[in-house]
């Protein structure tokens, strides 16, 4: 499918036609304005001022901002495979290595967010429900999906895993661990099962007014994949207020540092589950990461959590 817009001339032709089928296949950087656009943007740049890039990450790295008219940063079109392929994984890997988290941008569209949020009421899709206050986890509720996962969730889990494995293996290497994560998720699930962890961990979280999630790590046994992904399914400021995604990092002999990751509806963030390697003066040391959600003040905040190791 990429072939249809391979080559400068075909791409420029798509821009002239404002072809929506080209959206997400490539992006147009406009030198004169410093913005990057979708091929279907109503703006009319001159050919000599435009160059093409394959991903939003490339455009951002070249110093371009997302166009306010066509909002390439809000595009979530095409198959999950195409959307994940369009993410600049080198950039994401650098972010994870440097900060312990990285925004993946918008991964799900409004319809997908709504259908996942609505699935929360269908009890047959889930293996268990956790009332957070009962366990001292915070206030709110979440549900773990049962196997087989809904196709969208299963697709996201397997494809994100494959993209994050190189980073996770890099972390193992820096920690001096000889083991490596397999590149496909099916093989990794077999490793989890052999460790007695055979129940799926993707989950939907539902927070109403006054609800929050204490800083924590999602660990379910000895087998842990060091990175996980969360996707916000509700629109901040409209469907809910408050409820910020928070990460903290604790380095040896230092006080904790907090990060607030701004997310819009459909946005995904990848972050360290627990420990991540940091280069110090005397070699690599472990920084401890925790994540949580600040208090929701109004409305309902729904999230999809994609954890890659299974639970006991
Ligand atoms: Fe969590
Ligand atoms: Zn534009």
């Amino acid at each position: 499918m990429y072939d249809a817009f391979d080559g400068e001339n075909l791409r420029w032709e798509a821009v002239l036609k404002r072809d929506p089928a080209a959206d997400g296949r490539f992006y147009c950087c406009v030198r004169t304005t410093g913005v990057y656009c979708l091929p279907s943007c109503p703006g009319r740049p001159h050919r000599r001022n435009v160059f093409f890039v394959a991903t939003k990450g490339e455009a951002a790295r070249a110093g371009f901002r997302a166009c306010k008219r066509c909002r390439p940063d809000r595009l979530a079109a095409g198959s999950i495979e195409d959307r994940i392929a369009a993410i600049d994984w080198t950039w994401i890997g650098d972010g994870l290595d440097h900060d312990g988290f990285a925004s993946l941008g918008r991964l799900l569209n409004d319809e997908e967010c709504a259908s996942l949020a609505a699935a929360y009421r269908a009890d047959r899709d889930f293996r268990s429900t956790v009332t957070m206050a009962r366990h001292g986890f915070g206030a709110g509720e979440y549900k773990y999906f049962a196997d087989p996962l809904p196709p969208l969730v299963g697709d996201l889990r397997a494809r994100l895993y494959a993209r994050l494995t190189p980073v996770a293996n890099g972390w193992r290497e820096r920690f001096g661990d000889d083991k490596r994560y397999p590149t496909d998720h099916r093989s990794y699930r077999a490793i989890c099962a052999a460790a007695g962890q055979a129940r799926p961990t993707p989950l939907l979280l539902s927070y109403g007014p006054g609800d929050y999630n204490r800083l924590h790590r999602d660990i379910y046994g000895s087998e842990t994949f060091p990175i996980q992904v969360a996707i916000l399914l509700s629109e901040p400021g409209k469907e809910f207020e408050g409820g910020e995604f928070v990460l903290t990092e604790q380095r040896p002999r230092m006080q904790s540092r907090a990060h607030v990751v701004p997310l819009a509806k459909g946005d995904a963030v990848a972050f360290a589950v627990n420990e991540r390697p940091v280069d110090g003066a005397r070699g690599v040391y472990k920084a401890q990461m925790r994540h949580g959600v600040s208090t929701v003040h109004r409305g309902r905040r729904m999230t999809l959590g994609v954890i890659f190791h299974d639970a006991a």
Side-chain angles (χ1 to χ4, degrees):
M1 249 180 125
Y2 283 112
D3 303 344
F5 302 107
D6 214 2
E8 299 273 316
N9 291 340
L10 288 171
R11 287 178 170 189
W12 182 244
E13 223 170 272
V15 172
L16 289 177
K17 284 192 291 197
R18 296 177 187 170
D19 183 359
D23 290 351
R25 306 287 176 192
F26 65 90
Y27 299 86
C28 312
C29 294
V30 187
R31 288 190 191 88
T32 39
T33 55
V35 304
Y36 70 96
C37 285
L38 296 173
S40 70
C41 183
R44 294 275 84 170
H46 279 290
R47 177 70 189 93
R48 65 174 175 275
N49 297 327
V50 172
F51 69 97
F52 303 117
V53 293
T55 68
K56 300 174 202 180
E58 271 178 69
R61 252 188 301 180
F64 289 80
R65 290 167 287 105
C67 171
K68 291 258 186 334
R69 284 177 86 179
C70 62
R71 293 307 301 263
D73 51 329
R74 305 308 302 147
L75 178 77
S79 68
I80 294 295
E81 181 181 9
D82 285 348
R83 291 179 220 172
I84 288 176
I87 294 171
D88 188 332
W89 289 100
T90 307
W91 172 258
I92 299 303
D94 289 349
L96 283 163
D97 282 342
H98 192 261
D99 302 315
F101 68 95
S103 290
L104 305 183
R106 186 161 211 205
L107 204 47
L108 297 181
N109 58 43
D110 285 353
E111 294 71 42
E112 290 158 339
C113 289
S115 82
L116 280 170
Y120 195 77
R121 292 188 294 272
D123 277 327
R124 66 185 182 282
D125 290 345
F126 301 94
R127 64 174 175 83
S128 67
T129 300
V130 176
T131 304
M132 293 168 65
R134 208 173 287 160
H135 303 272
F137 295 161
E141 195 184 77
Y142 56 84
K143 293 180 176 183
Y144 287 107
F145 284 103
D147 267 326
L149 298 173
L152 175 60
V153 177
D155 203 14
L156 284 168
R157 196 184 194 206
R159 293 187 190 283
L160 289 168
Y161 172 87
R163 299 291 181 161
L164 293 168
T165 299
V167 183
N169 280 332
W171 289 6
R172 274 194 154 163
E173 193 176 344
R174 287 169 71 195
F175 279 142
D177 183 339
D178 292 335
K179 282 189 295 192
R180 294 292 177 265
Y181 294 98
T183 49
D184 72 295
H185 195 246
R186 190 188 295 264
S187 305
Y188 183 56
R189 288 200 79 180
I191 291 173
C192 292
Q197 294 169 230
R199 299 196 302 161
T201 47
L203 72 169
L204 281 182
L205 305 100
S206 173
Y207 303 130
D211 289 350
Y212 63 94
N213 192 347
R214 293 184 195 279
L215 295 168
H216 68 282
R217 326 170 277 172
D218 294 292
I219 293 178
Y220 303 91
S222 59
E223 191 53 54
T224 304
F225 188 78
I227 300 161
Q228 69 186 73
V229 172
I231 305 176
L232 185 62
L233 305 176
S234 314
E235 194 170 332
K238 199 169 158 194
E239 292 174 280
F240 72 95
E241 273 163 37
E244 303 277 5
F245 181 72
V246 180
L247 284 158
T248 62
E249 183 191 84
Q250 166 76 66
R251 297 187 180 189
R253 298 175 302 281
M254 286 184 203
Q255 314 224 40
S256 293
R257 176 180 181 183
H259 296 279
V260 174
V261 185
L263 296 170
K265 185 175 184 168
D267 282 359
V269 56
F271 54 97
V273 170
N274 181 19
E275 295 167 341
R276 71 181 188 91
V278 175
D279 292 317
R282 273 168 288 163
V284 175
Y285 62 89
K286 288 176 175 172
Q288 306 286 337
M289 305 284 292
R290 298 287 185 276
H291 62 276
V293 175
S294 71
T295 308
V296 170
H297 299 303
R298 185 187 66 76
R300 188 148 296 273
R301 179 193 193 274
M302 302 291 297
T303 321
L304 171 67
V306 183
I307 297 163
F308 300 103
H309 44 271
D310 283 336

